[in-house]
Amino acid sequence: MNVPAPSGYRIALVDSDALQRACTGNSLTALGADFIPFVRMSDLIQVLEAGQRFDGIIVGLHADAQKTVARVPEMHRAADWMLPLLYLTHRSELKSVETVPLELRAQRSFELLLTPVANEDLGAWLASLDGRLRPARLVRVGVDA
């Protein structure tokens, strides 16, 4: 199903991998979303505490996946609401994602796509921000889907 993503969303893109940040950023731009790149969660938390607002957050998970996910509650507190959140990881880093506690990975809000992410899937996630569609290729790591 090819549903056009609504344009104009402001997305925070957090990824320590510069190439992944650039590729995902290019996809977001092609889909009509505005994005602000961050290297670390602490950088995002700082701008949220300063009052910046985003429609959703995309976080790249790597070797430090458990540490990154542990900062999410702090991010939500800084934003003052539960921001829609999408995780991205490369297939080669799925073992790192498995270090994230199962009770977190099993939550409905733990949405994960493998990179390189297809524009269609990223567009579906953007469209889901207004409740229209969910990405078809969400990955569940170590949990029953």
Side-chain angles (χ1 to χ4, degrees), residues 16-71:
S16 60
D17 183 314
L19 180 59
Q20 189 58 51
R21 215 173 34 250
C23 292
T24 304
N26 286 339
S27 293
L28 287 167
T29 299
L31 292 166
D34 180 27
F35 78 97
I36 308 297
F38 298 93
V39 175
R40 294 176 300 277
M41 285 290 280
S42 59
D43 298 331
L44 171 60
I45 290 166
Q46 187 175 22
V47 300
L48 288 169
E49 288 172 340
Q52 292 288 321
R53 295 287 178 224
F54 297 94
D55 298 304
I57 309 291
I58 296 175
V59 177
L61 295 178
H62 303 285
D64 61 349
Q66 187 172 7
K67 181 179 165 187
T68 300
V69 173
R71 304 279 324 253

Side-chain angles (χ1 to χ4, degrees), residues 21 61 77-78 84 89 105 114:
R21 215 173 34 250
L61 295 178
R77 280 191 301 276
T89 197
R105 287 182 281 132
L114 296 177

